Amino acid sequence: MWRELLPIGRHAPTGGYRRYAWTPADRDCRAWFQDQAEARGLNYETDRNGNQWAWLGDPAAGDAVVTGSHLDSVPDGGAFDGPLGVVSALAAVDELRARGADLRRPLGIVNFGDEEGARFGLACVGSRLTAGQLTAEQARGLRDADGTTLAQAMERAGHDPAAIGPDPERLARIGAFVELHVEQGRALDQTSHAVGVASAIWPHGRWRFDFHGEANHAGTTRLADRRDPMLGYAGTVLAAREQARVFGALATFGKVDVRPGGVNAIAAEVRGWLDSRAPDEETLATLVGAIEREAVEHASREGVEVRVTRESFTPVVEFAHGLRDRLAGLLGGAPILPTGAGHDAGILSAVLPTAMLFVRNPTGVSHSPHEHADEADCLAGVIALADVLEGLACR
């Protein structure tokens, strides 16, 4: 399975993946998932929001146990973030069948659409829509860098955007969701364990900073006469790094759009996106407020205006303690650890019991072509997931 999936959406110059929502690469990933489901005789379906499902047993029976993740990627992302969870879910079903496991509850595998938000700027669109945390109107209006709306992209890919929206009936049939994911850090690497259990997800969000200055000639405009938004932005980037250090949190400006974008021109506008995460919501709010004040100060110093817009926010996620502890018990006391990364499991935690398993990442690198997990650890993850699914669905 891994070898078949690896070439899809790979960008040869970087070695990373560009599997963006509702693109040809996304289509090929979806076709791969459907083929894998049908090859196993699982009942396959696509829901109203474009999420893919494969079922062992009748989901209408209710109290189902579901596992899975996503197949899309960040720009030039790694091979493991998302796909490891989907591949491991399929492999875990194979393992359960090999064991002759007697399922007492329906078992589902899901590939959630547009988890990374790389194309339309909002993460976890498929699960947010399903859980009612994003309205259909808001989703249809999301735009990519070329101005294409999510509705247009879905329609071009053969999915009806008029059908998207909350799916409470589907969620009501699910008793538990367990997502396996490569660890996006090095906590497990400091232990003897290949697999860990998630305790919580830090609160996090995305903010857009718009700096408006005055376009002018780079070769003839005196420094004293400039209203350069790039300077306001640059000062804010450095300030965000320092403020994050002070608060024991994280702040990253990883995307910037400069207009008009000429090498020999002073910019008229600089738009930068802040990703910020913290151990608790109060710290996060304080941190972002401090960064906003720094932005205003640096912009004012350069005669530039700045406007800050919150584009998304996910509150702290405390995974269901009972389910979390049961997983740790089923795995013989696997370590329990928090994460700063968002996941579909975090979105679904607001509406049903969810949990996560992490597979050891020896370097801690993620969202990069250098993301990696050793094969032995990945196989240990499959066995751990199978053990968990057997414990939840067969007893």
Side-chain angles (χ1 to χ4, degrees):
M1 285 187 289
W2 196 252
R3 285 193 297 271
E4 291 177 8
L5 188 60
L6 278 179
I8 300 176
R10 193 164 195 175
H11 185 58
T14 65
Y17 289 88
R18 298 184 176 183
R19 297 167 174 162
Y20 306 149
W22 306 110
T23 63
D26 184 55
R27 175 200 62 209
D28 292 345
C29 285
R30 290 170 176 273
W32 174 89
F33 181 88
Q34 182 174 355
D35 288 345
Q36 293 296 330
E38 293 177 347
R40 287 167 172 77
L42 305 178
N43 295 317
Y44 170 82
E45 61 175 332
T46 302
D47 69 19
R48 62 192 302 176
N49 296 311
N51 305 310
Q52 295 177 289
W53 300 79
W55 292 98
L56 183 60
D58 181 8
D63 200 27
V65 177
V66 176
T67 185
S69 193
H70 63 94
L71 294 175
D72 65 315
S73 76
V74 297
D76 291 326
F80 293 81
D81 179 355
L84 182 62
V86 177
V87 171
S88 297
L90 292 162
V93 166
D94 295 342
E95 171 67 16
L96 290 175
R97 282 175 160 168
R99 295 178 184 180
D102 180 20
L103 290 177
R104 307 289 179 85
R105 302 164 67 179
L107 180 60
I109 300 173
V110 62
N111 168 35
F112 281 111
D114 201 4
E115 193 270 356
E116 296 290 7
R119 183 175 180 186
F120 297 100
L122 180 64
C124 301
V125 169
S127 56
R128 286 182 193 272
L129 279 168
T130 301
Q133 296 182 21
L134 176 67
T135 69
E137 183 179 7
Q138 289 170 330
R140 284 191 284 262
L142 294 172
R143 294 180 180 272
D144 66 12
D146 296 324
T148 301
T149 65
L150 175 65
Q152 292 170 329
M154 293 180 78
E155 194 166 28
R156 291 170 186 171
H159 192 84
D160 182 9
I164 65 176
D167 202 346
E169 293 182 1
R170 177 177 298 276
L171 294 176
R173 299 197 298 264
I174 300 174
F177 175 65
V178 180
E179 181 174 5
L180 179 145
H181 205 280
V182 67
E183 188 191 2
Q184 295 170 288
R186 294 188 63 192
L188 283 173
D189 192 50
Q190 310 302 313
T191 76
S192 61
H193 296 270
V195 180
V197 179
S199 60
I201 298 176
W202 281 12
H204 55 279
R206 298 179 182 184
W207 290 261
R208 192 183 74 238
F209 285 65
D210 295 303
F211 294 84
H212 297 275
E214 182 179 54
N216 217 325
H217 197 294
T220 61
T221 309
R222 295 190 317 156
L223 295 180
D225 293 337
R226 298 184 179 203
R227 295 177 54 228
D228 188 348
M230 183 61 79
L231 296 178
Y233 171 70
T236 303
V237 172
L238 295 174
R241 174 67 173 79
E242 177 59 21
Q243 291 293 341
R245 186 193 64 79
V246 169
F247 286 99
L250 299 169
T252 306
F253 278 97
K255 180 180 178 180
V256 61
D257 178 30
V258 182
R259 301 180 183 182
V263 175
N264 59 349
I266 299 166
E269 179 182 358
V270 175
R271 175 173 291 179
W273 282 264
L274 170 71
D275 177 297
S276 193
R277 304 162 193 247
D280 57 77
E281 293 177 29
E282 182 180 358
T283 301
L284 180 59
T286 304
L287 169 62
V288 174
I291 296 173
E292 287 191 37
R293 289 191 295 273
E294 292 274 8
V296 170
E297 180 180 337
H298 286 282
S300 177
R301 190 179 304 161
E302 304 299 333
V304 170
E305 297 177 355
V306 62
R307 182 174 67 252
V308 180
T309 304
R310 189 179 81 176
E311 293 194 336
S312 69
F313 175 74
T314 302
V316 64
V317 172
E318 284 282 349
F319 288 112
H321 290 191
L323 181 59
R324 177 199 69 192
D325 294 342
R326 186 174 180 189
L327 264 60
L330 288 168
L331 299 180
I336 298 176
L337 53 142
T339 179
H343 302 281
D344 291 310
I347 299 298
L348 296 180
S349 69
V351 291
L352 57 88
T354 63
M356 291 193 71
L357 300 180
F358 291 129
V359 172
R360 182 165 50 199
N361 179 339
T363 65
V365 173
S366 187
H367 283 187
S368 160
H370 300 295
E371 179 180 82
H372 178 72
D374 292 339
E375 182 176 339
D377 288 347
C378 292
L379 293 174
V382 170
I383 298 303
L385 181 60
D387 290 344
V388 164
L389 297 176
E390 186 174 20
L392 295 176
C394 298
R395 297 174 188 171

